[in-house]
Amino acid sequence: MAEPIQHNTVKLGAFQAQEKELVFDIDMTDYDDVRRCCSSADICSKCWTLMTMAIHIIDRALKEDFGFKHRLWVYSGRRGVHCWVCDETVRKLSSAVRSGIVEYLSLVKGGEEMRKKVHLSTKVHPFIRKSINIVEKYFEEYALVGQDIFENKETWDKILTLVPESIHAELQQGFQKCHNSVQRWEHLKRTVSTNRAVKNEKFGPWVEWEIMLHYCFPRLDINVSKGINHLLKSPFSVHPKTGRISVPINLQKVDQFDPFIVPTISQICHELDMVSTNEDDGDKENEAEPDTKRHTRDYKKTSLAPYVKSFEQFLEELDKSRKGELLRKSDAQRDF
Ligand SMILES: [Zn+2]
């Protein structure tokens, strides 16, 4: 044992993390080749749908495929989201198992130089099938209308690189006659299915699924999840560039989450000033109360309140599990 102050006297590598949450980091900059509205650090309500889809897809898999109960999703404060999986068994997982989990959840492969990043085959894994079901709910409004991915020849040529060459000519012809992305998408789906039926081409609906996943599937930063040393900004910290608070996202309201109404530190300070001004003007009873009591209540009067509530609910569930586990262990010992 060494006191923290003596940390320099302990040799490097002597400290090993005993436990750590399994974490995921999804950053909008990793989608720059597939979003047309913004690039790098910028985000808007149109491309935020990418984060909405990512949360739904990853969270469903963590919950249903892996059985993880305690998943906290947090807005990073700028252009992405984090997920903290806090189940006791998960916190003790080795790096090798974490790598396995994140591999399972990764589908978009290859860097910028690689054009075709999603490869499916005749047998589609249930995880991918279920992810496609989620993407389907958003694809038209997000990709076809919002991002207008088939807007002109330049943009649809990019999509053609993801499609078998034997149907390129037919697609080009049809695209010229269509008026918008929705019609061009319908033309592509029709062409794929008629070519399969009539010419016995060896491709199926996965041609269109590959396009959907290429444009919409979550892009995880694998290295963040693999290790047990990688640090993420903690929930409720302030993002240094935007001043926004890194707030938990209520899983029941993922689709309503709006990063642009997340409070900034200056807004919270202003709201707190208003609270104390009002209290000074009003009843004097508060002065008799201890300071700590007042402070614990103050956040409830700011726009941070609903986010703190989500966080408290998350912690309560975690605590219930921990108590249940302790009880189970002591019962088992007694029976023994
Ligand atoms: Zn955008």
Side-chain angles (χ1 to χ4, degrees):
M1 283 293 275
E3 296 290 327
I5 200 163
Q6 297 170 311
H7 69 100
N8 282 333
T9 66
V10 181
K11 74 171 189 290
L12 212 65
F15 287 120
Q16 296 286 333
Q18 300 295 300
E19 283 186 23
K20 185 181 175 285
E21 301 84 358
L22 169 66
V23 292
F24 296 94
D25 183 10
I26 310 173
D27 191 315
M28 200 77 93
T29 49
D30 292 324
Y31 293 84
D32 275 2
D33 61 320
V34 290
R35 57 182 182 141
R36 302 182 63 210
C37 47
C38 315
S39 64
S40 64
D42 293 330
I43 61 163
C44 70
S45 58
K46 275 186 190 170
C47 52
W48 186 256
T49 309
L50 287 166
M51 293 297 133
T52 308
M53 287 189 278
I55 296 173
H56 282 304
I57 289 171
I58 301 298
D59 194 68
R60 188 213 60 78
L62 293 173
K63 180 182 171 188
E64 295 175 13
D65 303 355
F66 291 101
F68 299 153
K69 283 201 185 76
H70 305 284
R71 309 164 317 273
L72 180 71
W73 286 88
V74 181
Y75 171 50
S76 74
R78 194 184 195 188
R79 60 187 178 198
V81 292
H82 300 153
C83 175
W84 302 71
V85 187
C86 302
D87 299 40
E88 191 183 351
T89 48
V90 176
R91 299 199 307 261
K92 292 175 176 154
L93 293 177
S94 67
S95 285
V97 177
R98 288 167 202 247
S99 298
I101 295 170
V102 70
E103 282 292 328
Y104 175 95
L105 297 169
S106 300
L107 190 61
V108 179
K109 303 268 166 76
E112 258 174 58
E113 64 292 346
M114 178 109 91
R115 183 56 202 148
K116 191 165 157 81
K117 294 190 170 83
V118 180
H119 294 268
L120 301 180
S121 62
T122 35
K123 284 201 180 115
V124 176
H125 190 280
F127 161 63
I128 296 171
R129 187 58 260 198
K130 286 176 183 171
S131 302
I132 294 165
N133 291 345
I134 294 171
V135 172
E136 266 169 349
K137 291 185 208 155
Y138 298 90
F139 191 74
E140 178 167 342
E141 199 186 325
Y142 163 74
L144 302 178
V145 178
Q147 299 289 333
D148 209 358
I149 59 170
F150 288 89
E151 186 187 9
N152 51 47
K153 188 165 185 319
E154 192 195 332
T155 62
W156 76 59
D157 275 349
K158 279 190 189 169
I159 299 168
L160 285 185
T161 62
L162 312 174
V163 176
E165 253 187 87
S166 57
I167 52 170
H168 280 196
E170 194 179 342
L171 288 174
Q172 287 283 9
Q173 258 184 353
F175 286 167
Q176 303 283 357
K177 291 180 202 143
C178 297
H179 300 291
N180 56 45
S181 285
V182 177
Q183 290 179 0
R184 292 186 183 113
W185 177 244
E186 286 307 316
H187 173 61
L188 184 142
K189 288 200 288 187
R190 232 177 6 250
T191 308
V192 169
S193 76
T194 52
N195 270 273
R196 188 171 36 148
V198 179
K199 297 181 189 162
N200 202 20
E201 290 272 12
K202 287 199 171 36
F203 49 72
W206 61 89
V207 172
E208 62 215 50
W209 293 339
E210 281 175 347
I211 298 171
M212 293 168 75
L213 296 170
H214 178 92
Y215 278 87
C216 302
F217 192 82
R219 299 176 173 209
L220 303 172
D221 188 338
I222 292 179
N223 290 321
V224 172
S225 308
K226 267 189 194 168
I228 44 176
N229 303 329
H230 204 290
L231 299 176
L232 282 183
K233 274 160 92 278
S234 112
F236 294 104
S237 54
V238 180
H239 195 287
K241 291 267 164 50
T242 60
R244 288 195 197 283
I245 316 284
S246 185
V247 292
I249 298 170
N250 183 342
L251 278 174
Q252 263 81 55
K253 295 178 182 167
V254 175
D255 290 76
Q256 285 86 51
F257 183 84
D258 179 356
F260 296 102
I261 59 163
V262 168
T264 61
I265 183 68
S266 42
Q267 186 188 334
I268 298 296
C269 290
H270 180 70
E271 287 172 6
L272 285 172
D273 284 346
M274 298 302 284
V275 169
S276 51
T277 319
N278 289 344
E279 277 180 359
D280 288 346
D281 292 347
D283 58 347
K284 296 282 174 194
E285 280 167 47
N286 277 329
E287 283 174 16
E289 288 181 39
D291 244 15
T292 47
K293 202 169 172 194
R294 265 189 63 175
H295 283 298
T296 49
R297 269 194 348 232
D298 278 353
Y299 76 84
K300 288 189 177 166
K301 296 167 187 162
T302 72
S303 43
L304 216 49
Y307 304 107
V308 177
K309 198 173 168 206
S310 293
F311 189 58
E312 283 172 348
Q313 280 167 349
F314 173 77
L315 293 179
E316 263 168 45
E317 288 300 317
L318 200 59
D319 194 40
K320 255 191 242 167
S321 283
R322 193 185 62 91
K323 282 182 183 143
E325 187 58 25
L326 288 177
L327 207 64
R328 203 188 57 77
K329 273 184 192 158
S330 78
D331 280 356
Q333 244 164 12
R334 203 181 49 211
D335 292 348
F336 185 70

